[in-house]
Coordinates of all heavy atoms in Angstrom, one line a residue:
M30 N -0.7 -28.4 1.4 CA -1.0 -27.1 2.0 C -1.3 -26.2 0.9 O -2.3 -25.4 1.1 CB 0.3 -26.4 2.6 CG 0.4 -27.0 4.1 SD 1.9 -26.2 5.0 CE 1.4 -24.4 4.8
S31 N -0.9 -26.4 -0.4 CA -1.3 -25.6 -1.6 C -2.7 -25.8 -1.8 O -3.4 -25.0 -2.2 CB -0.4 -25.7 -2.7 OG -0.6 -24.8 -3.6
D32 N -3.2 -27.1 -1.7 CA -4.5 -27.5 -2.1 C -5.5 -26.9 -1.1 O -6.7 -26.5 -1.5 CB -4.8 -29.0 -2.1 CG -4.0 -29.8 -3.3 OD1 -3.6 -29.0 -4.1 OD2 -3.7 -30.9 -3.0
D33 N -5.2 -26.5 0.2 CA -6.0 -26.0 1.2 C -5.9 -24.4 1.2 O -6.5 -23.8 2.0 CB -5.8 -26.5 2.6 CG -6.1 -28.1 2.6 OD1 -7.2 -28.4 1.8 OD2 -5.3 -28.8 3.3
A34 N -5.1 -23.9 0.4 CA -4.7 -22.5 0.5 C -6.0 -21.5 0.2 O -6.3 -20.6 1.0 CB -3.6 -22.0 -0.5
A35 N -6.8 -21.9 -0.7 CA -7.9 -21.2 -1.0 C -8.9 -21.1 0.3 O -9.5 -20.1 0.6 CB -8.8 -21.6 -2.2
E36 N -9.1 -22.1 0.9 CA -9.9 -22.2 2.0 C -9.4 -21.4 3.3 O -10.1 -20.8 3.9 CB -10.0 -23.7 2.4 CG -11.2 -23.9 3.6 CD -11.3 -25.3 3.9 OE1 -11.0 -26.2 3.3 OE2 -11.9 -25.5 5.2
F37 N -8.1 -21.6 3.5 CA -7.4 -20.9 4.5 C -7.5 -19.3 4.3 O -8.0 -18.6 5.2 CB -5.9 -21.1 4.5 CG -5.5 -22.4 5.0 CD1 -4.3 -23.0 4.5 CD2 -6.2 -23.1 5.9 CE1 -3.8 -24.2 4.9 CE2 -5.8 -24.6 6.3 CZ -4.7 -25.0 5.9
L38 N -7.3 -18.9 3.1 CA -7.4 -17.5 2.7 C -8.9 -17.0 2.8 O -9.2 -15.8 3.4 CB -6.8 -17.2 1.3 CG -5.3 -17.4 1.3 CD1 -4.9 -17.3 -0.3 CD2 -4.6 -16.4 2.2
E39 N -9.9 -17.8 2.5 CA -11.2 -17.4 2.5 C -11.7 -17.3 3.9 O -12.5 -16.4 4.2 CB -12.1 -18.5 1.7 CG -13.6 -18.1 1.7 CD -14.4 -19.1 1.1 OE1 -13.9 -19.6 -0.1 OE2 -15.5 -19.5 1.6
T40 N -11.2 -18.2 4.7 CA -11.6 -18.3 6.2 C -10.8 -17.3 7.0 O -11.4 -16.5 7.8 CB -11.4 -19.7 6.7 OG1 -12.2 -20.5 5.9 CG2 -12.0 -19.6 8.3
F41 N -9.5 -17.1 6.8 CA -8.7 -16.3 7.7 C -7.9 -15.2 7.1 O -7.3 -14.5 7.7 CB -7.6 -17.3 8.4 CG -8.2 -18.5 9.2 CD1 -8.1 -19.7 8.7 CD2 -8.9 -18.3 10.4 CE1 -8.7 -20.8 9.3 CE2 -9.4 -19.2 11.0 CZ -9.3 -20.6 10.5
G42 N -8.0 -15.2 5.7 CA -7.2 -14.2 5.1 C -7.7 -12.8 5.3 O -8.8 -12.5 5.7
R43 N -6.7 -11.8 5.2 CA -7.0 -10.4 5.4 C -6.5 -9.8 4.0 O -5.6 -10.1 3.5 CB -6.3 -9.7 6.5 CG -6.6 -10.3 7.9 CD -8.1 -10.0 8.2 NE -8.6 -10.6 9.5 CZ -9.4 -11.6 9.5 NH1 -9.8 -12.1 8.4 NH2 -9.7 -12.0 10.7
P44 N -7.3 -8.6 3.7 CA -7.0 -8.0 2.3 C -5.6 -7.2 2.5 O -5.4 -6.4 3.5 CB -8.1 -7.2 2.1 CG -8.7 -6.8 3.4 CD -8.5 -8.0 4.2
I45 N -4.7 -7.3 1.5 CA -3.6 -6.5 1.3 C -3.5 -5.9 -0.1 O -4.2 -6.5 -0.9 CB -2.3 -7.2 1.8 CG1 -1.9 -8.3 0.7 CG2 -2.4 -7.8 3.2 CD1 -0.5 -8.9 0.9
T46 N -2.7 -5.0 -0.3 CA -2.4 -4.6 -1.6 C -0.9 -4.6 -1.8 O -0.1 -4.1 -0.9 CB -2.9 -3.2 -1.9 OG1 -4.2 -3.1 -1.7 CG2 -2.6 -2.6 -3.4
F47 N -0.4 -5.3 -2.8 CA 1.2 -5.6 -3.0 C 1.3 -5.4 -4.5 O 0.6 -6.1 -5.3 CB 1.6 -6.7 -2.4 CG 3.1 -7.0 -2.6 CD1 4.0 -6.1 -2.2 CD2 3.6 -8.2 -3.2 CE1 5.3 -6.4 -2.2 CE2 4.8 -8.3 -3.5 CZ 5.8 -7.5 -2.9
R48 N 2.3 -4.6 -4.9 CA 2.5 -4.5 -6.4 C 1.3 -4.0 -7.2 O 1.1 -4.5 -8.3 CB 3.2 -5.6 -7.0 CG 4.6 -6.0 -6.4 CD 5.2 -7.3 -7.0 NE 6.5 -7.6 -6.4 CZ 7.1 -8.7 -6.4 NH1 6.5 -9.7 -7.1 NH2 8.2 -8.8 -5.8
G49 N 0.5 -3.2 -6.5 CA -0.7 -2.7 -7.2 C -1.7 -3.8 -7.4 O -2.8 -3.4 -8.0
V50 N -1.7 -4.9 -6.7 CA -2.7 -6.0 -6.7 C -3.4 -6.2 -5.4 O -2.7 -6.3 -4.5 CB -2.1 -7.2 -7.3 CG1 -3.1 -8.3 -7.2 CG2 -1.6 -7.0 -8.8
S51 N -4.6 -6.1 -5.4 CA -5.5 -6.4 -4.1 C -5.5 -8.1 -4.0 O -5.9 -8.6 -5.0 CB -6.8 -5.8 -4.0 OG -6.6 -4.4 -4.0
L52 N -5.1 -8.6 -2.8 CA -5.2 -10.0 -2.8 C -5.3 -10.2 -1.1 O -5.3 -9.4 -0.3 CB -3.9 -10.7 -3.2 CG -2.7 -10.3 -2.5 CD1 -1.8 -11.5 -2.2 CD2 -1.8 -9.4 -3.3
Y53 N -5.6 -11.5 -0.8 CA -5.8 -11.9 0.6 C -4.5 -12.6 1.0 O -3.9 -13.4 0.3 CB -7.0 -12.9 0.7 CG -8.3 -12.1 0.7 CD1 -8.9 -11.8 -0.3 CD2 -8.9 -11.6 1.9 CE1 -10.1 -11.0 -0.3 CE2 -9.9 -10.9 1.9 CZ -10.6 -10.5 0.8 OH -11.8 -9.7 0.9
A54 N -4.1 -12.3 2.2 CA -2.9 -13.1 2.8 C -3.3 -13.3 4.3 O -4.1 -12.8 4.9 CB -1.7 -12.2 2.6
M55 N -2.4 -14.3 4.9 CA -2.5 -14.5 6.3 C -1.6 -13.5 7.0 O -0.5 -13.2 6.6 CB -2.0 -16.0 6.5 CG -2.6 -17.0 5.7 SD -4.4 -17.2 6.0 CE -4.3 -18.1 7.6
I56 N -2.1 -12.8 8.1 CA -1.6 -11.8 8.8 C -1.3 -12.1 10.2 O -2.4 -12.5 10.9 CB -2.2 -10.4 8.7 CG1 -2.7 -10.2 7.3 CG2 -1.5 -9.4 9.4 CD1 -1.8 -9.5 6.5
S57 N -0.2 -12.0 10.8 CA 0.1 -12.5 12.2 C -0.4 -11.3 13.1 O -0.8 -10.2 12.6 CB 1.6 -12.5 12.4 OG 2.3 -11.3 12.4
R58 N -0.5 -11.5 14.4 CA -0.8 -10.5 15.3 C 0.5 -9.5 15.2 O 1.6 -9.9 14.9 CB -0.9 -11.1 16.6 CG -2.2 -11.7 16.9 CD -2.2 -12.1 18.3 NE -3.6 -12.7 18.6 CZ -4.2 -12.7 19.7 NH1 -3.6 -12.1 20.8 NH2 -5.4 -13.2 19.8
A59 N 0.1 -8.4 15.6 CA 1.3 -7.2 15.5 C 2.4 -7.5 16.5 O 2.0 -7.2 17.7 CB 0.6 -5.9 15.6
P60 N 3.6 -7.8 16.1 CA 4.6 -7.9 17.0 C 5.2 -6.5 17.2 O 4.9 -5.7 16.4 CB 5.7 -8.8 16.3 CG 5.5 -8.6 14.8 CD 3.9 -8.3 14.6
V61 N 5.9 -6.3 18.3 CA 6.6 -5.0 18.4 C 8.0 -5.3 18.1 O 8.7 -6.1 18.6 CB 6.4 -4.5 19.8 CG1 7.1 -3.2 20.1 CG2 4.9 -4.2 20.1
E62 N 8.7 -4.4 17.3 CA 10.1 -4.4 17.2 C 10.9 -3.3 17.6 O 10.2 -2.2 17.8 CB 10.4 -4.5 15.7 CG 9.7 -5.6 14.8 CD 9.8 -5.3 13.4 OE1 10.9 -5.1 12.9 OE2 8.8 -5.4 12.5
Q63 N 12.0 -3.4 18.0 CA 12.8 -2.4 18.4 C 14.1 -2.2 17.4 O 14.7 -3.2 17.1 CB 13.4 -2.4 19.9 CG 12.2 -2.2 20.9 CD 12.7 -2.2 22.4 OE1 13.8 -2.9 22.5 NE2 12.2 -1.5 23.2
I64 N 14.4 -1.0 17.1 CA 15.6 -0.7 16.3 C 16.3 0.3 17.0 O 15.9 1.1 17.6 CB 15.2 -0.5 14.8 CG1 14.5 0.9 14.7 CG2 14.6 -1.6 14.1 CD1 14.5 1.4 13.3
L65 N 17.7 0.2 16.7 CA 18.6 1.2 17.3 C 18.6 2.4 16.4 O 19.0 2.1 15.2 CB 19.9 0.7 17.6 CG 21.0 1.7 18.2 CD1 20.4 2.1 19.6 CD2 22.3 0.9 18.5
S66 N 18.2 3.6 16.7 CA 18.2 4.8 15.9 C 18.9 5.9 16.6 O 19.3 5.7 17.7 CB 16.9 5.1 15.5 OG 16.7 6.0 14.5
D67 N 19.1 7.1 15.8 CA 19.5 8.2 16.4 C 18.8 8.6 17.7 O 17.6 8.6 17.6 CB 19.5 9.5 15.5 CG 20.4 9.3 14.4 OD1 21.4 8.5 14.4 OD2 20.2 9.8 13.2
G68 N 19.4 8.7 18.9 CA 18.6 9.0 20.1 C 18.2 7.8 20.8 O 17.6 7.9 21.9
G69 N 18.6 6.5 20.5 CA 18.2 5.3 21.2 C 17.4 4.4 20.4 O 17.3 4.4 19.3
L70 N 16.5 3.6 21.2 CA 15.8 2.5 20.7 C 14.3 3.2 20.1 O 13.8 4.0 20.9 CB 15.6 1.4 21.7 CG 16.7 0.6 22.0 CD1 16.5 -0.4 23.2 CD2 17.2 -0.2 20.9
V71 N 14.0 2.7 19.0 CA 12.6 3.1 18.5 C 11.8 1.9 18.4 O 12.1 0.9 18.0 CB 12.9 3.8 17.1 CG1 11.6 4.2 16.5 CG2 13.8 5.0 17.3
N72 N 10.5 2.1 18.9 CA 9.6 0.9 18.7 C 8.8 1.1 17.5 O 8.5 2.1 17.1 CB 8.4 0.9 19.8 CG 9.2 0.7 21.2 OD1 10.0 -0.3 21.3 ND2 8.7 1.3 22.3
L73 N 8.7 -0.1 16.7 CA 8.0 -0.1 15.5 C 6.9 -1.2 15.6 O 7.1 -2.2 16.3 CB 9.0 -0.5 14.4 CG 10.1 0.4 14.2 CD1 11.1 -0.2 13.0 CD2 9.6 1.8 13.6
S74 N 5.9 -1.0 14.9 CA 4.9 -2.1 14.8 C 5.0 -2.7 13.4 O 5.4 -2.1 12.4 CB 3.7 -1.6 15.1 OG 3.1 -0.8 14.1
G75 N 4.7 -4.0 13.4 CA 4.8 -4.5 12.0 C 4.1 -6.0 12.1 O 3.4 -6.3 13.1
Y76 N 4.0 -6.7 10.9 CA 3.3 -8.0 10.9 C 4.1 -9.0 10.0 O 5.1 -8.7 9.3 CB 2.1 -7.7 10.1 CG 1.1 -6.8 10.6 CD1 1.0 -5.5 10.3 CD2 0.1 -7.2 11.6 CE1 0.2 -4.6 10.8 CE2 -0.7 -6.3 12.2 CZ -0.6 -5.0 11.8 OH -1.5 -4.0 12.3
Q77 N 3.8 -10.2 10.3 CA 4.3 -11.2 9.4 C 3.1 -11.4 8.4 O 2.0 -11.8 8.8 CB 4.7 -12.5 10.1 CG 5.2 -13.6 9.1 CD 5.5 -15.0 9.7 OE1 5.5 -15.0 10.9 NE2 5.7 -15.9 8.8
V78 N 3.5 -11.4 7.2 CA 2.4 -11.5 6.1 C 2.8 -12.8 5.3 O 3.9 -12.9 4.9 CB 2.4 -10.3 5.1 CG1 1.4 -10.5 4.0 CG2 2.0 -9.1 5.9
R79 N 1.9 -13.8 5.2 CA 2.0 -14.9 4.4 C 1.3 -14.9 3.1 O 0.0 -14.8 3.2 CB 1.7 -16.1 5.2 CG 1.9 -17.6 4.6 CD 1.7 -18.7 5.6 NE 3.1 -18.9 6.1 CZ 3.4 -19.9 6.8 NH1 2.5 -20.8 7.2 NH2 4.7 -20.0 7.2
I80 N 2.0 -14.9 2.0 CA 1.4 -14.8 0.8 C 1.4 -16.1 0.0 O 2.5 -16.8 0.0 CB 2.2 -13.7 -0.1 CG1 2.1 -12.3 0.5 CG2 1.7 -13.6 -1.4 CD1 2.9 -11.3 -0.2
H81 N 0.3 -16.4 -0.5 CA 0.3 -17.9 -1.2 C 1.1 -17.6 -2.6 O 0.9 -16.6 -3.4 CB -1.2 -18.1 -1.6 CG -1.3 -19.5 -2.2 ND1 -2.0 -19.9 -3.3 CD2 -0.7 -20.7 -1.8 CE1 -2.0 -21.0 -3.5 NE2 -1.2 -21.6 -2.7
A82 N 2.0 -18.6 -2.7 CA 3.0 -18.5 -3.9 C 3.0 -19.9 -4.5 O 4.2 -20.5 -4.4 CB 4.2 -17.9 -3.6
P83 N 2.2 -20.5 -5.1 CA 2.3 -21.8 -5.6 C 3.3 -21.8 -6.8 O 3.6 -20.8 -7.4 CB 1.0 -22.3 -6.2 CG 0.0 -20.9 -6.4 CD 0.7 -20.0 -5.4
A84 N 3.9 -22.9 -7.1 CA 4.9 -23.1 -8.2 C 4.4 -22.4 -9.5 O 3.2 -22.7 -9.9 CB 5.3 -24.5 -8.3
G85 N 5.2 -21.6 -10.1 CA 5.0 -20.9 -11.3 C 4.2 -19.6 -11.1 O 4.0 -18.9 -12.1
S86 N 3.7 -19.2 -10.0 CA 2.9 -18.0 -9.7 C 3.9 -16.9 -9.8 O 5.1 -17.0 -9.6 CB 2.1 -18.2 -8.4 OG 3.0 -18.1 -7.4
T87 N 3.3 -15.7 -9.9 CA 4.0 -14.4 -9.9 C 5.0 -14.3 -8.6 O 6.1 -14.1 -8.8 CB 3.0 -13.2 -9.9 OG1 2.3 -13.2 -11.1 CG2 3.8 -12.0 -9.9
Y88 N 4.4 -14.7 -7.5 CA 5.2 -14.5 -6.3 C 6.2 -15.6 -6.1 O 7.2 -15.4 -5.3 CB 4.3 -14.3 -5.0 CG 3.4 -13.2 -5.1 CD1 1.9 -13.2 -5.2 CD2 3.9 -11.9 -5.4 CE1 1.2 -12.3 -5.3 CE2 3.1 -10.8 -5.5 CZ 1.7 -10.9 -5.6 OH 1.0 -9.9 -5.8
A89 N 6.1 -16.7 -6.8 CA 7.1 -17.8 -6.6 C 8.2 -17.4 -7.6 O 9.3 -17.7 -7.2 CB 6.4 -19.2 -7.0
V90 N 7.9 -16.9 -8.7 CA 8.8 -16.5 -9.8 C 9.8 -15.2 -9.2 O 10.8 -15.2 -9.4 CB 8.3 -16.4 -11.2 CG1 9.3 -15.7 -12.1 CG2 7.6 -17.6 -11.7
T91 N 9.0 -14.3 -8.8 CA 9.6 -13.0 -8.3 C 8.9 -12.7 -6.8 O 8.0 -11.9 -6.8 CB 9.3 -11.8 -9.3 OG1 7.8 -11.6 -9.3 CG2 10.0 -12.0 -10.5
P92 N 9.6 -13.4 -5.8 CA 9.2 -13.2 -4.6 C 9.4 -11.6 -4.1 O 10.3 -11.0 -4.7 CB 10.1 -14.1 -3.7 CG 10.8 -15.0 -4.6 CD 10.7 -14.3 -6.0
P93 N 8.7 -11.3 -3.1 CA 9.0 -9.9 -2.5 C 10.3 -9.8 -2.1 O 11.1 -10.7 -1.8 CB 7.9 -9.9 -1.4 CG 7.0 -10.9 -1.5 CD 7.7 -12.0 -2.3
T94 N 10.8 -8.5 -2.2 CA 12.1 -8.2 -1.8 C 12.1 -7.0 -0.7 O 11.2 -6.3 -0.6 CB 13.0 -7.7 -2.9 OG1 12.3 -6.6 -3.5 CG2 13.1 -8.7 -4.0
Q95 N 13.2 -7.0 0.1 CA 13.5 -6.2 1.1 C 13.3 -4.6 0.5 O 13.8 -4.5 -0.6 CB 14.7 -6.2 1.9 CG 14.8 -5.4 3.0 CD 16.1 -5.7 3.7 OE1 16.9 -6.5 3.5 NE2 16.5 -4.9 4.7
G96 N 12.5 -3.7 1.2 CA 12.4 -2.3 0.6 C 11.2 -2.2 -0.1 O 10.7 -1.0 -0.3
E97 N 10.5 -3.3 -0.6 CA 9.1 -3.0 -1.3 C 8.1 -2.7 -0.2 O 8.3 -2.8 0.9 CB 8.8 -4.3 -2.1 CG 9.6 -4.6 -3.3 CD 8.9 -5.7 -4.1 OE1 9.2 -6.9 -3.6 OE2 8.3 -5.4 -5.1
H98 N 7.0 -2.1 -0.9 CA 5.8 -1.6 0.1 C 4.6 -2.4 -0.2 O 4.3 -2.8 -1.3 CB 5.7 -0.1 -0.2 CG 6.9 0.7 0.1 ND1 7.2 1.1 1.5 CD2 7.8 1.3 -0.7 CE1 8.3 1.7 1.4 NE2 8.7 1.9 0.1
M99 N 3.9 -2.4 0.9 CA 2.5 -3.2 0.8 C 1.7 -2.4 1.7 O 2.0 -1.8 2.7 CB 2.5 -4.6 1.0 CG 2.9 -5.1 2.3 SD 2.8 -6.9 2.5 CE 3.8 -7.5 1.5
T100 N 0.3 -2.5 1.4 CA -0.6 -1.9 2.2 C -1.4 -3.0 3.1 O -1.9 -3.9 2.5 CB -1.7 -1.1 1.5 OG1 -1.0 -0.1 0.7 CG2 -2.8 -0.5 2.3
V101 N -1.3 -2.8 4.4 CA -1.9 -3.8 5.4 C -2.7 -3.0 6.2 O -2.4 -2.1 6.9 CB -0.8 -4.6 6.1 CG1 -1.4 -5.7 7.2 CG2 0.2 -5.3 5.1
F102 N -4.0 -3.5 6.4 CA -5.0 -2.7 7.3 C -5.0 -1.2 7.1 O -5.1 -0.4 7.9 CB -4.7 -3.0 8.8 CG -4.7 -4.5 9.2 CD1 -3.7 -5.1 9.8 CD2 -5.9 -5.1 8.9 CE1 -3.8 -6.4 10.1 CE2 -5.9 -6.5 9.3 CZ -5.0 -7.0 9.8
G103 N -4.9 -1.0 5.6 CA -5.0 0.4 5.3 C -3.8 1.3 5.5 O -3.9 2.5 5.2
R104 N -2.7 0.6 6.0 CA -1.5 1.4 6.3 C -0.4 1.1 5.4 O -0.3 -0.2 5.0 CB -1.1 1.4 7.7 CG -2.2 2.2 8.6 CD -1.8 2.0 10.0 NE -0.7 2.7 10.4 CZ -0.6 3.9 10.8 NH1 -1.6 4.6 10.9 NH2 0.6 4.5 11.1
R105 N 0.6 2.0 5.0 CA 1.7 1.5 4.2 C 2.8 0.8 5.1 O 3.2 1.4 6.1 CB 2.2 2.8 3.6 CG 3.5 2.6 2.7 CD 3.8 3.9 2.0 NE 4.9 3.8 1.1 CZ 6.0 4.2 1.1 NH1 6.4 5.0 2.2 NH2 6.9 4.0 0.2
H106 N 3.3 -0.3 4.6 CA 4.3 -1.0 5.3 C 5.5 -1.3 4.3 O 5.3 -1.4 3.2 CB 3.8 -2.4 5.9 CG 3.0 -2.2 7.0 ND1 1.6 -1.8 6.8 CD2 3.0 -2.4 8.3 CE1 0.9 -1.8 8.1 NE2 1.8 -2.2 8.9
T107 N 6.7 -1.4 4.9 CA 7.8 -1.7 4.1 C 8.4 -3.1 4.5 O 8.4 -3.5 5.7 CB 9.1 -0.7 4.6 OG1 8.6 0.6 4.2 CG2 10.2 -1.0 3.7
V108 N 8.7 -3.9 3.4 CA 9.2 -5.2 3.6 C 10.5 -5.1 4.2 O 11.4 -4.4 3.7 CB 9.3 -6.0 2.3 CG1 9.9 -7.4 2.4 CG2 7.9 -6.1 1.6
T109 N 10.8 -5.8 5.5 CA 11.9 -5.9 6.2 C 12.7 -7.2 5.9 O 13.9 -7.1 6.1 CB 11.9 -5.5 7.7 OG1 10.9 -6.6 8.3 CG2 11.2 -4.1 7.8
S110 N 12.1 -8.3 5.7 CA 12.8 -9.5 5.4 C 11.8 -10.5 4.8 O 10.5 -10.3 4.8 CB 13.2 -10.2 6.8 OG 12.1 -10.6 7.6
V111 N 12.3 -11.4 4.0 CA 11.4 -12.5 3.2 C 12.0 -13.8 3.5 O 13.4 -13.9 3.5 CB 11.6 -12.1 1.8 CG1 10.9 -13.2 0.9 CG2 11.1 -10.7 1.4
T112 N 11.2 -14.8 3.7 CA 11.5 -16.1 3.9 C 10.8 -16.9 2.8 O 9.4 -16.9 2.9 CB 11.3 -16.7 5.3 OG1 11.8 -15.8 6.3 CG2 11.7 -18.0 5.5
Y113 N 11.5 -17.6 1.8 CA 10.8 -18.3 0.9 C 11.6 -19.7 0.7 O 12.8 -19.6 0.5 CB 10.8 -17.6 -0.4 CG 10.1 -18.3 -1.6 CD1 8.9 -19.0 -1.4 CD2 10.7 -18.3 -2.8 CE1 8.3 -19.7 -2.4 CE2 9.9 -19.0 -3.9 CZ 8.9 -19.6 -3.7 OH 8.3 -20.4 -4.7
R114 N 10.9 -20.7 0.9 CA 11.6 -22.0 0.8 C 10.8 -22.9 -0.1 O 10.1 -23.7 0.3 CB 11.5 -22.7 2.3 CG 12.4 -21.9 3.3 CD 12.2 -22.6 4.5 NE 12.9 -21.7 5.8 CZ 12.3 -21.2 6.6 NH1 10.8 -21.2 6.8 NH2 12.9 -20.6 7.6
P115 N 11.1 -22.7 -1.4 CA 10.6 -23.6 -2.4 C 10.9 -25.0 -2.1 O 11.9 -25.4 -1.6 CB 11.0 -23.2 -3.7 CG 11.7 -21.9 -3.5 CD 12.1 -21.9 -2.0
P116 N 9.9 -25.9 -2.3 CA 8.6 -26.0 -3.0 C 7.4 -25.6 -2.2 O 6.2 -25.6 -2.5 CB 8.5 -27.3 -3.6 CG 9.1 -28.3 -2.4 CD 10.3 -27.4 -2.0
A117 N 7.7 -24.9 -0.8 CA 6.6 -24.6 -0.1 C 5.7 -23.6 -0.8 O 6.3 -22.7 -1.5 CB 7.2 -24.0 1.3
P118 N 4.5 -23.7 -0.7 CA 3.7 -22.7 -1.4 C 3.4 -21.3 -0.8 O 2.4 -20.7 -1.1 CB 2.3 -23.5 -1.4 CG 2.2 -24.3 -0.2 CD 3.7 -24.7 0.1
W119 N 4.1 -21.0 0.2 CA 3.9 -19.7 0.9 C 5.2 -18.9 1.0 O 6.4 -19.5 1.1 CB 3.5 -20.0 2.3 CG 2.2 -20.7 2.4 CD1 2.1 -22.1 2.6 CD2 0.9 -20.2 2.3 NE1 0.7 -22.4 2.6 CE2 -0.1 -21.2 2.4 CE3 0.4 -18.9 2.2 CZ2 -1.5 -21.1 2.4 CZ3 -0.9 -18.7 2.1 CH2 -1.9 -19.8 2.3
V120 N 5.2 -17.6 0.9 CA 6.2 -16.8 1.1 C 5.9 -15.9 2.4 O 4.8 -15.4 2.5 CB 6.4 -15.7 -0.1 CG1 7.6 -14.7 0.2 CG2 6.7 -16.4 -1.3
D121 N 6.9 -16.0 3.3 CA 6.6 -15.2 4.5 C 7.4 -14.0 4.5 O 8.7 -13.9 4.3 CB 7.1 -16.1 5.8 CG 6.2 -17.2 6.0 OD1 5.1 -17.2 5.8 OD2 6.9 -18.4 6.4
V122 N 6.7 -12.9 4.9 CA 7.3 -11.5 4.6 C 7.0 -10.8 6.0 O 6.0 -10.7 6.5 CB 6.6 -10.7 3.4 CG1 7.1 -9.3 3.3 CG2 6.7 -11.4 2.2
M123 N 8.2 -10.1 6.5 CA 7.9 -9.3 7.6 C 8.0 -7.8 7.2 O 8.7 -7.6 6.3 CB 9.2 -9.5 8.6 CG 9.2 -10.8 9.5 SD 7.8 -11.1 10.5 CE 7.9 -9.7 11.6
V124 N 6.9 -7.1 7.7 CA 6.9 -5.7 7.4 C 6.7 -4.9 8.6 O 6.4 -5.2 9.6 CB 5.5 -5.5 6.4 CG1 5.6 -6.3 5.2 CG2 4.2 -5.8 7.2
S125 N 7.3 -3.6 8.3 CA 7.1 -2.6 9.4 C 6.4 -1.4 8.9 O 6.5 -1.1 7.7 CB 8.6 -2.1 9.8 OG 9.2 -3.0 10.5
D126 N 5.6 -0.8 9.8 CA 4.7 0.3 9.4 C 5.6 1.5 8.9 O 6.5 1.8 9.7 CB 3.8 0.7 10.6 CG 2.8 1.7 10.3 OD1 3.0 2.5 9.4 OD2 1.8 1.6 11.0
S127 N 5.3 1.9 7.9 CA 6.0 3.1 7.3 C 5.2 4.2 6.8 O 5.5 5.0 6.0 CB 7.0 2.6 6.2 OG 6.2 2.0 5.1
T128 N 3.9 4.3 7.4 CA 3.0 5.3 6.9 C 3.5 6.6 7.0 O 3.2 7.4 6.1 CB 1.6 5.1 7.7 OG1 1.1 3.9 7.5 CG2 0.6 6.1 7.3
S129 N 4.2 6.9 8.1 CA 4.7 8.2 8.2 C 6.1 8.6 7.5 O 6.5 9.6 7.6 CB 4.9 8.5 9.7 OG 5.7 7.7 10.3
A130 N 6.6 7.5 7.0 CA 7.9 7.7 6.3 C 7.7 8.1 4.9 O 6.7 8.0 4.2 CB 8.7 6.2 6.2

């Protein structure tokens, strides 16, 4: 999968900005999430963002963490969960829209 990552990202990747760096990542369709907040359930929109992280790369050494921010489709999002299973060359990040936060 790592050998094909450049082709995947060139064909299907979407631009994001993370840690001040512009890069391409695989983005899922927008799922709708619900969280319990003051006053009841609140609907949030978010994405699963798949970042290429080959062994030894910046994102393999220091994967994203919950609470960090990234820009997806021009909107600010907050990382809500991270799944990284080395030696897999991808980090899966769930983000929620936090533009108004």
Side-chain angles (χ1 to χ4, degrees):
M30 282 181 55
S31 191
D32 292 342
D33 296 327
E36 184 178 345
F37 290 152
L38 293 171
E39 181 180 321
T40 304
F41 303 108
R43 298 291 179 255
I45 67 167
T46 303
F47 182 58
R48 296 180 180 160
V50 177
S51 294
L52 62 139
Y53 282 86
M55 305 296 285
I56 312 275
S57 70
R58 289 185 172 207
V61 175
E62 302 175 49
Q63 285 188 332
I64 62 168
L65 185 58
S66 184
D67 295 336
L70 292 174
V71 176
N72 290 321
L73 300 172
S74 66
Y76 300 95
Q77 178 179 350
V78 178
R79 180 167 270 190
I80 299 172
H81 187 229
S86 69
T87 300
Y88 300 120
V90 174
T91 55
T94 58
Q95 186 176 358
E97 286 189 282
H98 300 283
M99 68 176 58
T100 303
V101 180
F102 298 124
R104 296 180 62 92
R105 182 175 186 245
H106 288 74
T107 302
V108 174
T109 58
S110 68
V111 177
T112 304
Y113 179 44
R114 297 181 184 108
W119 300 95
V120 176
D121 293 323
V122 181
M123 288 298 298
V124 296
S125 287
D126 192 327
S127 58
T128 298
S129 61

